[in-house]
Amino acid sequence: MTPSSTLSLSGERFTAVYRLSGTAVEVEARAREICLEQTVEFPEALIPNEAIRAQIVGTIAEIEPSSSTGSSMGSSTHPGTDSISGASWSGNSNHDASDENPSSFEVSIRYPIEAAGRELTQLLNVLFGNVALQPGVRLQRIDLPPALLQHYTGPRFGIAGLRQQLGITDRPLLCTALKPMGLSPTELADMAYRLALGGIDLIKDDHGLSDQTFCPFDERISRCAEAVARANQQTGRTSLYLPNITAPADELNARAERARERGAGGLLLCPGLTGLDSLRRLAADDQIALPILSHPALLGGLSLGSGLGAGLGSSQGLAHGLLFGTLTRLTGADATIFPSFGGRFAFTAAECQEITTAARAPLAGLAPIWPVPAGGMRLEQVPELVTFYGRDSMLLIGGDLHASKDLSARCQAFLRLVRQASEQTSND
Amino acid sequence: MTPSSTLSLSGERFTAVYRLSGTAVEVEARAREICLEQTVEFPEALIPNEAIRAQIVGTIAEIEPSSSTGSSMGSSTHPGTDSISGASWSGNSNHDASDENPSSFEVSIRYPIEAAGRELTQLLNVLFGNVALQPGVRLQRIDLPPALLQHYTGPRFGIAGLRQQLGITDRPLLCTALKPMGLSPTELADMAYRLALGGIDLIKDDHGLSDQTFCPFDERISRCAEAVARANQQTGRTSLYLPNITAPADELNARAERARERGAGGLLLCPGLTGLDSLRRLAADDQIALPILSHPALLGGLSLGSGLGAGLGSSQGLAHGLLFGTLTRLTGADATIFPSFGGRFAFTAAECQEITTAARAPLAGLAPIWPVPAGGMRLEQVPELVTFYGRDSMLLIGGDLHASKDLSARCQAFLRLVRQASEQTSND
């Protein structure tokens, strides 16, 4: 319609690496469709001018056979550069199977940075908006240049910031949840007090505690923050109380502000329930400026295939490392909770490793953040967890701390186990 | 820890119907785990008092064999009652296969209304928060009593309201998108003008248009709204312009307000990108009060399994009817866009029917909303689409309108086809 467009973009692009299955010919055709689908969403032949075709439509940078296991990462990008890249998530560049009968490929597609602009919502849209509705496409990792990264403040504290706040330099952090739902603010505060006395570093609300009539938000945070402060005075140590501020869109930041005023030492947010951009907004708010734990509720639905086995489970959605690692970190969480292997959930050890690496590996100057394995962990697993996740991890144990009547004593046992295991472990 | 709790809930509960696979014994055990996981998230033996066990923990109301196809709905609930129920989505209560070797069951679990409280975020959390991280659980439908529904204003316009606004009583509505990305506001406005002249009822932004440097939001909506108004003056008809207001959390409602001020006739939002609660908030805002089209970008990731075939694809996530129908309607969209069978995406006809039924069937006094089949529809499909979706549907055709140089003429052809097909079709 407009032969001489005035479109004049920078030419700079960001990269999305998708995994597709099929023959080489099928995969290339599919990749071309994605280039259109995620940008112009328009039949190629009808694109109105050459400028749009050249400057807006995604371009295929690379197609290479990939192993068919869930978390294989390509070997063609370089870790530690000044851009977001998941290349360092995994060392295994085993493309051994590829020569025989390649059915799985990693396809790198490059999009103009102006298509995503300064908005996380639109970045997610270009990366995976429409293809999320199609089977057989999995977004493995992303690579964002500084021109895009400048719009993201990232984690305010991360591993180093939280260590400094707690004064703990040499071991994994201890985390637990105030629960079960149904306890009153007074009962939860009493529990928080005993947990802090027992030496738990981060005491968070269960993510099921919001603003229910039986446990109102304001009363809960006031009582729990006071209880933890009182315990800190007795112990001389620093335990933090982190209320769950997951809330309706028009109340979320106000709750965070009230939490801060009343003495919360951090915040718990479920970005799967609120939208990822609510996490970004919260983390960027200088008036709030508290460490943020991200909880994976509902978010898991976007990283399908957990536990369904390699070839099958990993054919759609967002890769575990990308979702719970890179994106959670990019949007500003200081710690990312995820269901560890060995608990009530079905993430594999490889998926957990992928998340952990994405949380901590060099990533364009963004602070490394805490991997927080959770979901039915038990004290007896502490040595294994510390060995697997290393010192720069936060162990979240909930129900199992309550297996003995003396809660504080059991917390002390938890701390002892972590210290012992930590002394025997070198960090990666 | 607290033998004499003061917990005293109403006893009223809402229902979630999950599909689980396995033997009857396995499924019952799994159902009990879900009752705990989605409420107390605590080992059953350690629940601190009887009040929590009796009043907070989910209860299994019913377990019945289900057909293993994707969208089977149970027959045990009653459509049209004063509560949200998806029972009327599908007439097929074929449990024929169940006696032979039942491997798929529908499990109804009832949760206390106070657990969800007045918050959509927490309702979603109780329904599916943690189990979204587990394989093999699919949320099929929900049933919310008036005590929960009172917190949701629902669609402001719905089918009847939008018909009234447009003055169209007897046919499907015509919708299209301004695209491709890369056109300037002036070029898009010119396109909008010609689409309105051609008789398109709803002219929406492509969901990839946000606030990019090459197409700034404010300039785009001003120009496009003016262009559509000018065309309306010429035709004497009402076409609406609906800008995409999907945006960062702290800008979204401000964009909606500016859109209204500058003459937008409705709004496009991608709740998968912003979070579903942003849709609820927007729809409930009396200062904005414009019809809202919901676009499925990224949201699709939560209804996995599209196109993967029955037994496999439907084993996780949220059922299509629940996500694109019930939840989208509950949170206030007036129309729900979804990828129709027969286009570039892989939803089946059965899944599309499930969405359509959930959008329009009686649902606790919430206005029926427009199903908007989309995703590569072509003019030649109009008769089939009208037959399948009925008169109370909105047909969204994008790229194919541009297959001829005379855009307005092609729009007129679209309108003619819809009118013809509509005359031959009775609505369901």
Side-chain angles (χ1 to χ4, degrees):
Chain A
M1 55 178 283
T2 310
S4 57
S5 169
T6 56
L7 192 66
S8 176
L9 304 189
S10 67
E12 197 164 2
R13 294 193 171 230
F14 64 100
T15 304
V17 181
Y18 303 94
R19 188 160 62 194
L20 301 174
S21 294
T23 66
V25 172
E26 287 167 350
V27 163
E28 184 169 350
R30 185 72 192 279
R32 289 194 187 286
E33 287 168 10
I34 293 174
C35 291
L36 296 166
E37 186 72 54
Q38 296 303 99
T39 54
V40 291
E41 207 192 332
F42 213 66
E44 186 161 20
L46 302 180
I47 293 175
N49 64 55
E50 194 46 44
I52 290 176
R53 192 185 304 267
Q55 297 182 52
I56 296 283
V57 175
T59 53
I60 301 173
E62 191 172 21
I63 299 181
E64 60 175 54
S66 96
S67 99
S68 63
T69 54
S71 56
S72 167
M73 293 293 129
S75 57
S76 61
T77 48
H78 310 284
T81 59
D82 192 26
S83 63
I84 279 198
S85 165
S88 56
W89 296 349
S90 165
N92 66 324
S93 54
N94 57 329
H95 297 148
D96 327 44
S98 63
D99 295 319
E100 301 156 22
N101 186 19
S103 63
S104 183
F105 293 83
E106 285 202 347
V107 178
S108 298
I109 295 182
R110 308 196 74 217
Y111 302 108
I113 57 168
E114 289 88 349
R118 62 184 174 77
E119 303 172 1
L120 175 66
T121 39
Q122 176 61 6
L123 174 63
L124 293 172
N125 188 35
V126 175
L127 288 170
F128 209 62
N130 269 12
V131 294
L133 294 151
Q134 296 178 330
V137 189
R138 187 165 174 91
L139 181 58
Q140 294 283 86
R141 57 188 185 276
I142 60 176
D143 191 336
L144 307 182
L148 266 191
L149 283 168
Q150 65 171 326
H151 304 299
Y152 300 89
T153 53
R156 188 180 289 267
F157 297 87
I159 290 177
L162 199 51
R163 282 209 181 281
Q164 190 170 20
Q165 192 147 355
L166 291 165
I168 298 169
T169 58
D170 59 346
R171 61 162 172 86
L173 301 184
L174 277 54
C175 181
T176 194
L178 297 174
K179 56 182 177 180
M181 187 196 288
L183 293 180
S184 68
T186 304
E187 290 165 324
L188 291 169
D190 174 61
M191 184 183 287
Y193 175 71
R194 292 185 292 142
L195 291 164
L197 279 190
I200 303 294
D201 304 305
L202 295 100
I203 301 163
K204 72 169 188 71
D205 280 349
D206 181 42
H207 74 289
L209 302 176
S210 57
D211 185 29
Q212 291 105 335
T213 51
F214 55 82
C215 190
F217 179 79
D218 284 344
E219 185 187 346
R220 182 175 79 247
I221 55 169
S222 296
R223 288 191 189 276
C224 291
E226 183 279 326
V228 171
R230 186 157 35 90
N232 285 344
Q233 280 201 320
Q234 286 182 244
T235 62
R237 289 193 311 210
T238 304
S239 291
L240 302 179
Y241 166 56
L242 298 92
N244 175 31
I245 58 152
T246 305
D250 36 357
E251 299 180 41
L252 198 156
N253 277 44
R255 279 198 208 167
E257 281 163 24
R258 292 213 300 284
R260 187 187 171 86
E261 286 164 14
R262 292 167 192 225
L267 303 168
L268 179 79
L269 183 74
C270 303
L273 299 173
T274 64
L276 261 175
D277 198 71
S278 294
L279 170 56
R280 180 207 55 77
R281 178 192 187 187
L282 184 70
D285 190 329
D286 291 331
Q287 301 306 307
I288 293 168
L290 288 174
I292 301 170
L293 257 70
S294 171
H295 186 284
L298 202 61
L299 203 60
L302 292 175
S303 75
L304 339 191
S306 49
L308 288 181
L312 177 63
S314 52
S315 67
Q316 290 185 207
L318 307 177
H320 290 73
L322 177 66
L323 181 58
F324 299 106
T326 309
L327 288 177
T328 302
R329 182 174 171 189
L330 176 67
T331 50
D334 298 289
T336 180
I337 301 172
F338 60 92
S340 180
F341 69 98
R344 294 195 311 278
F345 296 80
F347 283 20
T348 64
E351 288 163 347
C352 294
Q353 184 57 58
E354 189 184 311
I355 295 168
T356 300
T357 306
R360 294 189 307 214
L363 196 63
L366 294 181
I369 65 172
W370 297 88
V372 190
M377 298 298 100
R378 299 177 309 282
L379 286 197
E380 69 210 52
Q381 293 172 288
V382 164
E384 181 195 8
L385 292 170
V386 173
T387 301
F388 188 89
Y389 292 106
R391 280 197 191 133
D392 283 342
S393 63
M394 188 187 297
L395 304 188
L396 169 47
I397 296 186
D400 195 46
L401 281 190
H402 301 267
S404 133
K405 287 225 165 175
D406 189 340
L407 183 60
S408 292
R410 199 147 168 91
C411 294
Q412 286 154 13
F414 182 16
L415 180 57
R416 236 177 359 255
L417 282 165
V418 166
R419 283 193 170 134
Q420 284 166 7
S422 182
E423 281 162 19
Q424 293 160 11
T425 304
S426 65
N427 217 353
D428 26 298
Chain B
M1 58 177 279
T2 312
S4 57
S5 169
T6 56
L7 192 67
S8 175
L9 305 188
S10 67
E12 197 165 2
R13 292 193 172 230
F14 64 101
T15 304
V17 181
Y18 302 93
R19 188 160 61 193
L20 301 174
S21 293
T23 66
V25 172
E26 286 166 352
V27 164
E28 185 170 349
R30 186 74 191 276
R32 289 193 187 287
E33 287 168 11
I34 293 174
C35 290
L36 295 166
E37 186 72 54
Q38 297 302 100
T39 55
V40 290
E41 207 191 332
F42 213 65
E44 185 162 21
L46 301 180
I47 293 175
N49 63 54
E50 193 46 45
I52 290 176
R53 191 185 304 267
Q55 297 183 52
I56 296 282
V57 176
T59 54
I60 301 172
E62 193 171 20
I63 299 180
E64 59 175 56
S66 96
S67 98
S68 63
T69 55
S71 57
S72 166
M73 293 296 129
S75 57
S76 61
T77 47
H78 310 285
T81 59
D82 192 25
S83 63
I84 280 199
S85 165
S88 56
W89 295 350
S90 165
N92 67 323
S93 53
N94 57 327
H95 297 147
D96 325 44
S98 64
D99 295 319
E100 301 155 21
N101 186 18
S103 64
S104 183
F105 293 82
E106 285 202 348
V107 177
S108 298
I109 295 182
R110 309 196 73 218
Y111 300 109
I113 56 169
E114 289 88 349
R118 60 183 175 78
E119 303 171 1
L120 175 66
T121 38
Q122 176 60 7
L123 174 63
L124 293 171
N125 188 34
V126 175
L127 289 170
F128 210 61
N130 269 12
V131 293
L133 294 152
Q134 296 178 331
V137 189
R138 188 166 174 90
L139 181 58
Q140 295 284 85
R141 56 187 186 276
I142 60 176
D143 191 337
L144 307 182
L148 266 191
L149 284 167
Q150 65 171 327
H151 303 299
Y152 300 89
T153 53
R156 188 180 289 267
F157 297 87
I159 290 176
L162 198 49
R163 282 208 180 282
Q164 191 171 20
Q165 192 148 355
L166 291 166
I168 299 169
T169 57
D170 58 347
R171 62 162 173 85
L173 300 184
L174 277 55
C175 182
T176 194
L178 297 175
K179 57 182 178 181
M181 186 196 290
L183 294 180
S184 68
T186 304
E187 290 166 323
L188 291 170
D190 175 62
M191 184 185 287
Y193 175 72
R194 292 185 292 142
L195 291 165
L197 280 190
I200 303 294
D201 303 308
L202 295 101
I203 301 162
K204 73 170 187 69
D205 281 347
D206 181 39
H207 74 288
L209 302 176
S210 56
D211 185 30
Q212 291 105 335
T213 50
F214 55 82
C215 191
F217 178 80
D218 284 344
E219 185 188 346
R220 182 175 80 248
I221 55 169
S222 296
R223 289 191 189 275
C224 291
E226 182 279 327
V228 171
R230 185 156 37 88
N232 285 344
Q233 279 202 322
Q234 287 180 245
T235 62
R237 288 195 311 211
T238 304
S239 291
L240 303 179
Y241 167 57
L242 298 92
N244 176 32
I245 57 152
T246 305
D250 35 358
E251 300 180 41
L252 199 156
N253 277 44
R255 279 199 208 167
E257 282 164 23
R258 293 214 300 285
R260 186 185 172 89
E261 285 164 14
R262 292 167 192 226
L267 303 168
L268 179 79
L269 183 73
C270 304
L273 299 173
T274 64
L276 261 174
D277 198 71
S278 294
L279 170 55
R280 180 206 56 77
R281 178 191 186 186
L282 184 70
D285 190 329
D286 291 332
Q287 301 306 308
I288 293 169
L290 288 174
I292 301 170
L293 257 71
S294 171
H295 186 286
L298 203 60
L299 203 59
L302 292 174
S303 75
L304 338 191
S306 49
L308 288 182
L312 177 62
S314 52
S315 68
Q316 290 186 207
L318 307 177
H320 290 73
L322 177 67
L323 181 58
F324 299 107
T326 309
L327 287 177
T328 302
R329 182 174 172 189
L330 176 68
T331 50
D334 298 290
T336 178
I337 301 173
F338 60 92
S340 180
F341 68 99
R344 293 194 312 277
F345 295 80
F347 283 21
T348 64
E351 289 164 346
C352 294
Q353 183 59 56
E354 188 185 311
I355 295 168
T356 300
T357 308
R360 295 191 305 215
L363 195 63
L366 293 182
I369 65 171
W370 297 89
V372 190
M377 299 298 101
R378 299 178 309 282
L379 287 196
E380 70 210 52
Q381 293 171 289
V382 165
E384 182 195 9
L385 291 171
V386 174
T387 301
F388 187 88
Y389 292 107
R391 279 196 191 132
D392 283 342
S393 63
M394 189 187 297
L395 304 189
L396 168 49
I397 296 185
D400 195 47
L401 282 188
H402 301 267
S404 133
K405 287 224 164 178
D406 189 339
L407 183 60
S408 292
R410 198 145 168 92
C411 294
Q412 286 155 13
F414 181 17
L415 180 56
R416 239 178 357 254
L417 282 165
V418 166
R419 281 191 170 134
Q420 284 167 8
S422 181
E423 281 163 18
Q424 294 160 9
T425 304
S426 64
N427 217 352
D428 27 299

